[in-house]
Amino acid sequence: GMDGFTSTTVEQTGILGECVGGAPTYVAWYELYPRPMHIISSLAISAGDVVSAEVSYVGGAFVISLADLTTGPSFTTSVKVKSAQRSSVEWIVEASSSGGGLLPLANFGVAYFGYDYTFQPQTCYATVNGITGGIGSSVWQVTMVSLSNPSQLKAQPSPLSSDGTSFYVTWLSPGP
């Protein structure tokens, strides 16, 4: 996604995994916060699928693309957002929220990002001011953030791969 780290807007897409009635369910979505999230009902996602997600800014509009590389279907939309700052780019594993606040982080095991794990070229790349590079490019600042409770770490990102293009996030047991 774009924005959100130091701005009040967020343009993002991804997969939501939830446990409903004791069974895991997955849905594709996109969001242009502060507008509400949109479920992409035309894109069915299953556990273990390799998914490509991209948010780009082209000709004054955000282009949001999501594809299930395992099964083939894809989705693309273009939306204009006047107040977006385009000040950061993020790759995120996070807990969902509801009207009551942040929900517990599900045990997602390990989420992999980048070519070293997905074998999909140009993943974990960004283009900023006409310069394209991997997430670890020396052109921009990289900040790794770990989701935590005030008293306990919930998920941990790995260091970037040696070529600066891949990483993974591991769910950590909540303990006693």
Side-chain angles (χ1 to χ4, degrees):
M2 288 189 192
D3 289 329
F5 188 67
T6 60
S7 66
T8 58
T9 61
V10 178
E11 303 78 37
Q12 60 184 351
T13 189
I15 304 302
L16 170 65
E18 296 181 301
C19 190
V20 178
T25 61
Y26 304 92
V27 294
W29 59 271
Y30 71 92
E31 178 182 36
L32 298 144
Y33 185 84
R35 297 177 190 172
M37 177 179 79
H38 296 274
I39 301 295
I40 305 169
S41 58
S42 62
L43 197 55
I45 304 295
S46 298
D49 286 0
V50 174
V51 176
S52 170
E54 180 178 352
V55 177
S56 57
Y57 187 75
V58 179
F62 287 95
V63 178
I64 297 168
S65 301
L66 201 66
D68 187 325
L69 302 176
T70 303
T71 61
S74 64
F75 169 86
T76 300
T77 190
S78 178
V79 183
K80 291 190 180 223
V81 178
K82 292 181 182 179
S83 62
Q85 297 176 19
R86 302 187 332 263
S87 61
S88 63
V89 180
E90 295 92 23
W91 290 262
I92 301 173
V93 175
E94 65 184 351
S96 299
S97 61
S98 70
L102 194 62
L103 298 171
L105 182 64
N107 179 351
F108 58 84
V110 179
Y112 297 99
F113 296 82
Y115 180 81
D116 294 344
Y117 304 110
T118 66
F119 307 108
Q120 300 302 314
Q122 299 292 307
T123 57
C124 287
Y125 275 69
T127 301
V128 179
N129 296 326
I131 301 169
T132 299
I135 187 173
S137 174
S138 62
V139 176
W140 36 76
Q141 177 183 342
V142 174
T143 304
M144 290 199 158
V145 178
S146 297
L147 177 67
S148 66
N149 216 336
S151 63
Q152 186 174 22
L153 190 61
K154 300 291 184 180
Q156 181 67 51
S158 72
L160 289 174
S161 60
S162 60
D163 65 358
T165 64
S166 303
F167 70 102
Y168 57 90
V169 179
T170 304
W171 181 84
L172 302 173
S173 172

